[in-house]
């Protein structure tokens, strides 16, 4: 049986039958535009007759070295004859010519990314016939000159300027302000001038054969699938490269036949706000590209009710019908020819994040869609975009045109920030906290002891580092807009300045950074800063999402494993973070990093004294000073999370991170010796010796985590005492404290067997002292591959697992996170060596498989084992879906990612409960 490459709009049923009635596959075959034109034809909407050449034909054409597949063109000509029969016109007939458009149409809407040619079939002879038929010479030659220009640009690859320059010069010569001021005679002359452009640029005449015009236009549309702008759009929209585009050959209807004709584009709801109000523009006596190109001032769609009231009434009825039919906001194109309305396209309309959420919620409340469908309609990225400050898009474009784009880097922390540049953490903190300035902290890279400056800043920019570098991780944790790896920025810390794009920015000068796009600008850009409390539609949607996740039976897992969807917890180090997490809907703290508390300026000297202590007694004395600080920190967390679990990770990083850098100390000692300064030299030399003695070749795999707890148990003993004293005090105040103590970096069960009993003994001792009992858990962070492979043994001691996927990814791949992103990881992703950045999305085949083994092995030993994730992946939708699949109880992420994670968790639950 001959392969069917072409379907008339009236053959939609055949297309459905060819793919077993799957409408999604129909869209894949006919493209979104072709499928909807056929569907509109079926439901009685006025659509000009035509046919669709399938996406399969496009892929075959490209695969066969830009050659039409066997039988395709014959089917095109057969469908053309059927279209002639439907219209009563004949293609190429000089007396009653049929004119057509050739339009692209991929499965997923890619507005303006591929090619379209209008008025195909016009030539010198058919133009005469059209004049005789219509009695409107101006309309005919307006259409003819448009064909030559579009065909020349799209099909023959002649630069637009070659035609535009001629047009502008001719209008100037004739004293015409707009195209509409040109007479019929003018347009005839312009048509001849455009023919000369083609001859000059290509060396041959504009094709007079209508069939040749259509053939070349079809090839141009097929080729446009691999045009740069289409490829760039697909990359940005995550659209697959192998889908191809369909070609739609549609009978031309004309909006440029006089004052009773027009053309327009409209949305059934406001695509910016989601408001249920018809939104769009139109022009009388114009063709479609006039509206979208902005070459004439358009009129609001509601004004059509005065200009052409009968056509407008029919239009409103049709678009309401289309919205109900497709149960989504529609983006439509239409033409009115001598009072007769024709619909040229309908598709689900592109919309802002705000509009997407409002439309989904409103349509559910209107009964058009279900709550489940509303949840599936909104993307996690839209929720994220809605909750971060954003620059005004027009202001950004204006800044780019004015040369104010300073540099670009990795978009590490979404949102927008405007502030004055400062180059070190102490200054940033002082300027931000004391002087109350808006600060952008700029550094080559950041370290843990820069946290205080980062927290006082409105935004962060670094010239080094990747998406999971320290700056990026902290920025996302605290919702600070951040750009990292802006390699074009040359930062001179001595001169207190940075240079990029031949622009020098001195300390104290203003810049604006967009952490969503990774762009930094000179000066101040206007922005908006929404809050979740103001997003009433989002709150409704997330409430529905939580209801889905809380429904039993969402997961078909073994008995004892969770049957509901994922809970969403948050990473929070301070009470303010915990309160923010609760306001965003978190139902637990999955990670409190106690070491961040040590970096505060009042505590760091005590911490350093503890590290440098010569005896255990000296160390304990320093720790006794720290204990009240830690207890107060934990007290605030338990109070903020009243009734919800709080997982507190015991100290994890190596101790040298709390001391000055070896390089810095060495420079200071040498400088003092050269200058003969003896005051303080001995103490500085002793500190240098201590730091040198702690040097490790690979600190990440050195003395840290549980290893540090075993070698120097006094630290974690103090921390556990502080945790349980705070929990006991809260319980006595009527607060339901639920502490869970996490021991990091376990690689062997014996490590837990050594340290965990000592810590449990302290917990019991504190409760006895306070004469109070409350529930608690001791567990471990799974971040070493060996821990995944021996999870059953570890679960015999640990009561919960929390995957630290940042370190687990590093150790599984053997990558140093920052080094990989700086040197080779981007290339790996660009060249397809890796499908995506494994530090942003869980590598399911490697890291994910280890996690799956750990969950199954752990629960084989402890059936009710609580399992979560607290790495950066906890806020990534794909990673959240994977955690749902393997049976995690919860994911934990930055407070600012909690709304995103709530939606993603519900979408995962729906996806796998319905399959």
């Amino acid at each position: 049986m001959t392969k069917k490459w072409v379907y008339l709009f009236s053959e939609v049923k055949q297309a459905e039958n060819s793919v077993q009635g799957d409408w999604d596959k129909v869209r894949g075959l006919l493209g979104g535009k072709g499928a909807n034109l056929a569907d509109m034809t079926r439901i009685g909407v006025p659509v000009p007759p035509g046919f669709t050449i399938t996406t399969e034909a496009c892929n075959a054409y490209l695969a066969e070295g830009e050659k039409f597949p066997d039988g395709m063109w014959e089917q095109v000509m057969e469908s053309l004859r059927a279209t002639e029969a439907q219209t009563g016109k004949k293609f190429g007939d000089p007396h009653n010519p049929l004119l057509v458009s050739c339009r692209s149409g991929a499965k997923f809407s890619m507005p303006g990314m591929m090619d379209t040619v209008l008025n195909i079939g016009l030539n010198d002879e058919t133009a005469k016939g059209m004049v005789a038929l219509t009695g409107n010479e101006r309309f005919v030659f307006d259409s003819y000159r448009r064909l030559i220009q579009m065909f020349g640009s799209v099909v023959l690859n002649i630069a637009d300027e070659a035609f535009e320059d001629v047009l502008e010069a001719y209008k100037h010569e004739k004293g015409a302000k707009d195209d509409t001021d040109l007479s019929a005679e003018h347009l005839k002359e312009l048509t001849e001038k455009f023919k000369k452009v083609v001859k000059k640029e290509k060396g041959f005449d504009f094709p007079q054969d209508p069939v040749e015009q259509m053939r070349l236009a079809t090839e141009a549309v097929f080729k446009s699938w691999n045009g740069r702008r289409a490829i760039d759009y697909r990359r940005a929209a995550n659209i697959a490269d192998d889908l191809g585009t369909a070609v739609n050959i549609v009978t031309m209807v004309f909006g440029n036949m006089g004052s009773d004709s027009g053309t327009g584009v409209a949305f059934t709801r406001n695509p910016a706000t989601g408001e249920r109000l018809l939104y769009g523009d139109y022009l009388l006596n114009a063709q479609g590209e006039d509206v979208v190109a902005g070459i004439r001032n358009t009129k609001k769609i509601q004004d059509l009710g005065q200009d052409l009231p009968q056509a407008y009434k029919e239009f409103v009825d049709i678009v309401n019908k289309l919205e109900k039919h497709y149960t989504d906001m529609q983006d439509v194109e239409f033409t009115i020819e001598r009072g007769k309305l024709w619909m040229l396209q309908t598709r689900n309309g592109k919309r802002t994040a705000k509009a997407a959420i409002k439309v989904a919620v409103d349509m559910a409340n209107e009964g058009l869609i279900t709550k489940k469908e509303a949840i599936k309609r909104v993307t996690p990225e839209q929720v994220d975009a809605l909750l971060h400050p954003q620059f005004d898009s027009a202001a950004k474009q204006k800044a780019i045109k004015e040369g104010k784009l300073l540099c670009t880097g990795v978009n590490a922390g979404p949102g927008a920030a405007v502030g004055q540049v400062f180059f070190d953490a102490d200054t940033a903190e002082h300027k931000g906290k004391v002087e109350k300035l808006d600060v952008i902290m700029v550094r080559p890279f950041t370290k843990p002891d820069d946290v205080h400056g980062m927290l006082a800043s409105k935004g962060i920019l670094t010239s080094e580092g990747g998406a999971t570098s320290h700056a990026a991780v902290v920025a996302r944790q605290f919702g600070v807009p951040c750009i990292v790896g802006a390699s074009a920025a040359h930062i001179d810390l001595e001169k207190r300045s940075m240079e990029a794009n031949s622009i020098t920015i001195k300390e104290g000068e203003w810049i604006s950074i967009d952490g969503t796009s990774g762009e930094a600008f000179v000066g101040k850009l206007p922005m908006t800063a929404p809050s979740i409390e103001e997003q009433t539609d989002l709150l409704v949607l997330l409430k529905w999402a939580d209801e889905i996740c809380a429904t039993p039976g969402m997961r078909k897992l073994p008995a004892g494993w969770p049957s509901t969807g994922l809970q969403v917890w948050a990473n929070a180090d301070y009470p303010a973070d915990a309160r923010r997490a609760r306001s965003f809907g978190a139902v637990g703290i999955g990670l409190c990093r106690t070491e961040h508390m040590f970096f505060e300026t009042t505590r760091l000297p005590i911490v350093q004294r503890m590290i440098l202590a010569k005896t255990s007694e000296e160390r304990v004395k320093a720790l006794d000073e720290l204990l009240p600080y830690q207890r107060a920190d934990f007290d605030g967390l338990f109070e903020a999370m009243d009734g919800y679990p709080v997982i507190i990770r015991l100290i994890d990083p190596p101790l040298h991170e709390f001391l000055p850098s070896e390089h810095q100390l060495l420079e200071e000692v040498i400088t003092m010796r050269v200058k003969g300064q003896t005051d303080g030299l001995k103490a500085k030399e002793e500190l240098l010796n201590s730091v040198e003695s702690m040097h490790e070749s690979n600190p990440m795999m050195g003395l840290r985590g549980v290893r540090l707890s075993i070698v120097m148990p006094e630290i974690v003993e103090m921390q556990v005492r502080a945790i349980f004293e705070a929990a006991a005090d809260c319980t006595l105040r009527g607060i339901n404290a639920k502490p869970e103590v996490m021991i990091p970096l376990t690689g062997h069960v014996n490590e837990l067997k050594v340290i965990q009993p000592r810590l449990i003994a302290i917990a019991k001792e504190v409760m006895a002292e306070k004469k109070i009992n409350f529930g608690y858990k001791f567990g471990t962070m799974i971040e070493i591959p060996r821990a995944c492979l021996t999870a059953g043994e570890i679960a015999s001691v640990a009561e919960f697992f929390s995957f630290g996927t940042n370190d687990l990814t590093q150790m599984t791949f053997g990558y140093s996170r920052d080094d990989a992103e700086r040197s080779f990881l981007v290339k790996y992703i660009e060249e397809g060596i890796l499908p995506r950045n494994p530090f942003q999305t869980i590598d399911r085949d490697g890291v994910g498989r280890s996690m799956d083994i750990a969950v199954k092995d752990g629960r084989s030993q402890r059936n009710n084992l609580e399992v979560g994730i607290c790495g950066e992946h906890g806020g990534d939708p794909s990673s959240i879906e994977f955690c749902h699949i393997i049976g995690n109880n919860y994911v934990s992420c930055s407070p600012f990612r909690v709304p995103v994670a709530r939606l993603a968790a519900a979408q995962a639950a729906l996806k796998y409960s319905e399959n």
Side-chain angles (χ1 to χ4, degrees):
M1 188 174 177
T2 304
K3 174 79 173 176
K4 190 166 176 62
W5 300 109
V6 182
Y7 291 86
L8 292 166
F9 294 159
S10 57
E11 293 179 326
V12 65
K13 190 63 180 177
Q14 281 182 253
E16 283 183 321
N17 291 341
S18 73
V19 291
Q20 295 75 49
D22 186 330
W23 186 251
D24 185 65
K25 290 181 179 177
V26 173
R27 287 174 54 80
L29 179 69
L30 302 180
K33 184 177 294 181
N36 287 352
L37 285 170
D39 196 31
M40 284 195 291
T41 300
R42 174 166 56 183
I43 64 174
V45 171
V47 172
F51 54 90
T52 298
I53 308 170
T54 67
T55 59
E56 292 178 342
C58 173
N59 286 331
Y61 171 84
L62 295 173
E64 294 172 19
E66 298 186 351
K67 178 184 174 186
F68 288 147
D70 291 343
M72 188 206 90
W73 194 247
E74 290 77 8
Q75 292 179 30
V76 167
M77 297 309 294
E78 184 182 339
S79 297
L80 181 62
R81 286 190 289 273
T83 304
E84 288 174 336
Q86 286 179 278
T87 60
K89 301 177 181 179
K90 192 170 179 60
F91 195 58
D93 183 352
H95 303 295
N96 187 22
L98 170 68
L99 304 185
V100 299
S101 63
C102 180
R103 298 171 179 264
S104 62
K107 177 179 180 179
F108 300 107
S109 175
M110 298 168 55
M113 296 302 110
M114 292 176 292
D115 290 332
T116 292
V117 181
L118 306 180
N119 307 327
I120 293 171
L122 269 176
N123 59 21
D124 293 349
E125 294 303 313
T126 56
K128 293 175 185 176
M130 289 286 289
V131 172
L133 276 173
T134 63
N136 190 337
E137 192 175 41
R138 188 194 183 283
F139 147 69
V140 173
F141 283 96
D142 183 40
S143 300
Y144 196 3
R145 64 95 181 176
R146 290 172 186 269
L147 167 63
I148 298 171
Q149 181 171 359
M150 292 186 79
F151 194 93
S153 174
V154 169
V155 179
L156 303 180
N157 295 312
I158 299 172
D160 288 333
E161 290 78 13
F163 297 102
E164 290 295 334
D165 290 348
V166 170
L167 174 60
E168 291 305 313
Y170 189 75
K171 285 198 298 185
H172 180 73
E173 177 189 331
K174 301 301 179 185
K177 180 182 178 185
D178 297 316
D179 296 4
T180 50
D181 297 328
L182 296 173
S183 68
E185 200 59 39
H186 291 152
L187 291 168
K188 285 178 73 173
E189 286 185 34
L190 189 61
T191 300
E192 293 304 314
K193 287 179 179 291
F194 277 7
K195 287 181 189 177
K196 290 177 182 177
V197 171
V198 172
K199 180 74 171 181
K200 177 185 175 183
E201 296 289 333
K202 304 305 293 187
F204 54 78
D205 291 326
F206 173 77
Q208 291 291 305
D209 180 359
V211 173
E212 181 70 359
Q213 292 175 8
M214 186 167 68
R215 186 184 67 79
L216 291 173
T218 300
E219 287 198 76
V221 173
F222 279 168
K223 290 175 184 176
S224 72
W225 176 254
N226 284 333
R228 180 174 178 180
R229 68 181 187 268
I231 291 172
D232 289 345
Y233 186 94
R234 292 201 297 273
R235 294 288 177 275
N238 293 316
I239 296 172
D241 288 330
D242 60 358
L243 297 178
T245 181
V247 172
N248 300 287
I249 304 296
V250 188
T251 299
M252 280 298 303
V253 288
F254 298 95
N256 58 333
M257 293 190 74
S259 59
D260 61 349
S261 303
T263 187
V265 177
F267 294 82
T268 55
R269 303 190 187 215
N270 187 316
T273 66
E275 184 183 6
R276 192 180 182 185
L277 182 68
L278 198 58
Y279 179 96
D281 301 286
Y282 74 99
L283 284 169
L284 294 180
N285 197 21
Q287 282 201 316
E289 72 268 22
D290 295 341
V291 175
V292 295
I295 59 177
R296 287 170 56 186
N297 292 328
T298 58
K299 301 180 74 172
K300 297 299 179 187
I301 191 66
Q302 285 77 14
D303 293 342
L304 188 61
Q306 281 78 50
D307 286 338
L308 298 171
Q310 188 173 341
Y312 180 69
K313 180 180 183 303
E314 184 183 4
F315 175 73
V316 171
D317 291 342
I318 286 173
V319 295
N320 287 337
K321 178 179 182 177
L322 290 174
E323 184 175 271
K324 288 176 182 175
H325 180 71
Y326 292 106
T327 64
D328 202 350
M329 181 186 85
Q330 293 300 290
D331 168 7
V332 301
E333 295 178 16
F334 67 94
T335 285
I336 301 167
E337 180 183 279
R338 291 180 168 175
K340 168 65 177 173
L341 174 67
W342 295 96
M343 302 303 295
L344 305 182
Q345 173 171 283
T346 190
R347 61 189 173 193
N348 293 340
K350 304 290 183 184
R351 63 206 75 178
T352 65
K354 180 181 179 65
I357 293 165
K358 180 169 180 56
V359 169
V361 170
D362 284 354
M363 285 190 166
N365 288 331
E366 292 162 17
L368 269 181
I369 60 175
T370 65
K371 291 179 181 179
K372 290 181 179 180
E373 184 61 33
I375 289 167
K376 291 189 283 187
R377 286 274 175 93
V378 177
T379 68
E381 291 76 16
Q382 287 169 328
V383 173
D384 185 45
L386 188 65
L387 292 176
H388 281 87
Q390 301 168 15
F391 288 125
D392 177 77
S393 57
K396 271 183 66 173
Q397 292 305 313
K398 183 172 182 285
I400 291 170
K401 287 180 181 178
E402 292 174 351
K404 292 183 179 180
L405 179 62
L406 184 63
C407 58
T408 62
V410 177
N411 49 336
V418 177
Q420 294 172 265
V421 169
F422 295 99
F423 293 98
D424 67 88
D426 291 338
T427 304
E429 182 183 46
H430 180 80
K431 296 291 184 181
K433 283 190 172 181
V434 179
E435 296 187 25
K436 306 298 183 185
L437 301 181
D438 290 338
V439 171
I440 304 291
M441 191 173 85
V442 176
R443 301 281 297 162
F445 56 89
T446 66
K447 300 180 296 182
D449 54 4
D450 290 325
V451 167
H452 60 291
M454 298 169 78
L455 295 179
S457 300
K458 299 294 184 183
I460 301 160
L461 186 149
T462 72
S463 57
E464 300 176 27
T468 51
S469 62
H470 176 264
V473 171
V474 173
R476 282 192 291 271
Q477 163 70 26
F478 295 103
V480 180
C482 176
I483 300 170
V484 298
S487 55
H490 302 288
I491 299 168
D492 191 326
L493 295 178
E494 288 188 8
K495 293 182 178 178
R496 317 294 285 180
S497 68
M498 67 181 289
E499 182 179 341
N501 195 22
S502 301
I503 301 168
T504 299
I505 301 293
K506 296 178 181 178
E507 190 160 63
E509 292 184 342
W510 290 85
I511 66 170
S512 302
I513 69 169
D514 189 335
T516 303
S517 65
E519 298 167 306
F521 299 87
V522 179
K524 303 178 185 180
L525 264 61
M527 64 180 182
T528 57
S531 68
I532 194 167
E533 290 80 9
E534 298 168 352
Q535 308 301 327
T536 54
D537 292 310
L538 177 59
L539 292 175
V540 170
L541 187 77
L542 293 178
K543 178 175 177 289
W544 295 346
D546 293 343
E547 289 169 357
I548 293 293
C549 285
T551 304
M554 298 306 290
R555 289 192 275 189
K556 305 297 186 288
L557 297 172
W561 290 37
S563 70
T564 58
L566 289 163
Q567 291 187 343
V568 177
W569 298 11
N571 303 339
D573 300 338
Y574 301 98
D577 302 328
R579 287 190 290 271
R580 184 180 295 117
R582 283 293 301 124
S583 73
F584 285 143
V587 291
I589 298 299
L591 176 64
C592 168
R593 290 164 289 209
T594 53
E595 61 270 8
H596 279 182
M597 302 166 177
F598 288 170
F599 281 109
E600 293 193 12
T601 51
T602 54
R603 308 177 191 190
L604 191 56
I606 307 171
V607 173
Q608 291 176 343
R609 188 154 31 91
M610 177 271 293
I611 294 169
L612 299 172
K614 298 286 194 297
T615 65
S616 179
E617 289 76 16
E618 290 180 14
R619 183 172 298 113
V620 169
K621 183 179 179 182
L623 289 167
D624 286 344
E625 291 182 54
L626 285 172
L627 189 145
Y629 290 114
Q630 288 261 274
R631 183 172 58 227
D633 293 330
F634 301 141
D635 189 292
L637 281 172
F638 292 136
E639 184 172 353
M641 299 302 296
D642 186 3
Y644 294 100
V646 177
I647 294 181
I648 298 169
R649 184 181 71 184
L650 301 179
I651 189 168
D652 182 39
L655 293 180
H656 72 81
E657 289 198 9
F658 300 97
L659 298 173
S661 75
E662 183 178 345
H663 179 75
Q664 174 190 336
L665 284 170
L666 183 60
E667 279 190 353
E668 290 175 0
V669 167
I670 291 172
T671 300
M672 292 177 76
R673 287 173 178 170
V674 168
K675 292 183 176 180
Q677 295 175 352
T678 57
D679 188 25
L681 178 61
K682 187 172 185 300
K684 190 77 73 174
E685 288 174 333
E686 288 178 355
L687 180 57
L688 176 61
N689 290 334
S690 297
V691 171
E692 287 175 339
S693 70
M694 293 182 187
H695 174 79
E696 294 178 302
S697 299
N698 191 345
M700 180 194 160
M701 295 187 175
L703 184 61
R704 53 173 286 225
V706 68
R707 305 158 199 163
L708 179 61
S709 300
I710 291 171
V711 172
M712 207 176 288
E714 300 95 336
I715 300 174
V716 290
E717 287 172 352
M718 178 277 291
Q719 289 189 306
V720 169
R721 173 166 285 278
I723 291 168
F724 280 84
E725 285 184 358
D729 291 343
C730 284
T731 303
L732 290 168
R733 298 202 306 270
I735 295 165
N736 184 8
K738 292 187 173 183
E740 299 189 18
V741 179
M742 182 157 67
I743 299 167
L745 213 68
T746 299
H748 197 289
V749 66
N750 287 345
E751 291 172 317
L752 288 184
K753 288 179 177 178
V754 167
I755 196 65
Q756 187 166 308
R758 294 179 64 165
L759 303 180
I760 291 174
I762 293 171
K764 290 179 177 178
E765 181 182 310
V766 170
M767 287 192 289
E769 291 170 1
K770 299 280 189 176
K771 297 182 175 56
I772 190 81
N773 279 299
F774 46 85
Y776 63 88
K777 291 179 182 176
F778 277 82
T780 191
M781 202 165 182
I782 303 292
E783 47 195 328
I784 295 176
R786 189 184 188 280
C788 293
L789 300 177
T790 61
E793 292 179 358
I794 292 173
S796 68
V797 181
E799 296 174 282
F800 68 85
F801 287 171
S802 180
F803 289 107
T805 49
N806 297 341
D807 280 356
L808 184 58
T809 298
Q810 289 195 92
M811 295 194 190
T812 301
F813 273 92
Y815 293 168
S816 163
R817 182 174 63 199
D818 288 351
D819 293 335
E821 291 191 318
R822 183 173 60 248
S823 57
F824 66 86
L825 198 52
V826 171
K827 183 178 180 67
Y828 268 37
I829 295 163
E830 286 177 348
E831 297 188 3
I833 297 170
L834 290 177
R836 58 188 62 84
N837 187 334
F839 294 108
Q840 295 178 345
T841 298
I842 287 174
D843 160 49
R844 297 190 184 191
D845 295 336
V847 176
R849 187 176 180 191
S850 298
M851 294 168 65
D852 189 32
I853 290 169
V855 174
K856 290 173 179 172
D857 204 16
R859 288 202 175 123
S860 70
Q861 174 67 38
R862 189 186 296 272
N863 189 249
N864 64 345
L865 182 73
E866 175 186 283
V867 180
I869 176 177
C870 62
E872 282 289 292
H873 299 92
D876 169 64
S878 174
S879 303
I880 290 168
E881 179 185 281
F882 181 72
C883 289
H884 176 94
I885 294 168
I886 65 173
N888 275 24
N889 297 80
Y890 68 88
V891 294
S892 186
C893 57
S894 156
F896 292 94
R897 294 289 292 180
V898 166
V900 175
R902 289 165 67 191
L903 180 66
Q907 290 178 338
L910 288 172
K911 179 178 178 178
Y912 289 94
S913 68
E914 294 172 356
N915 288 345

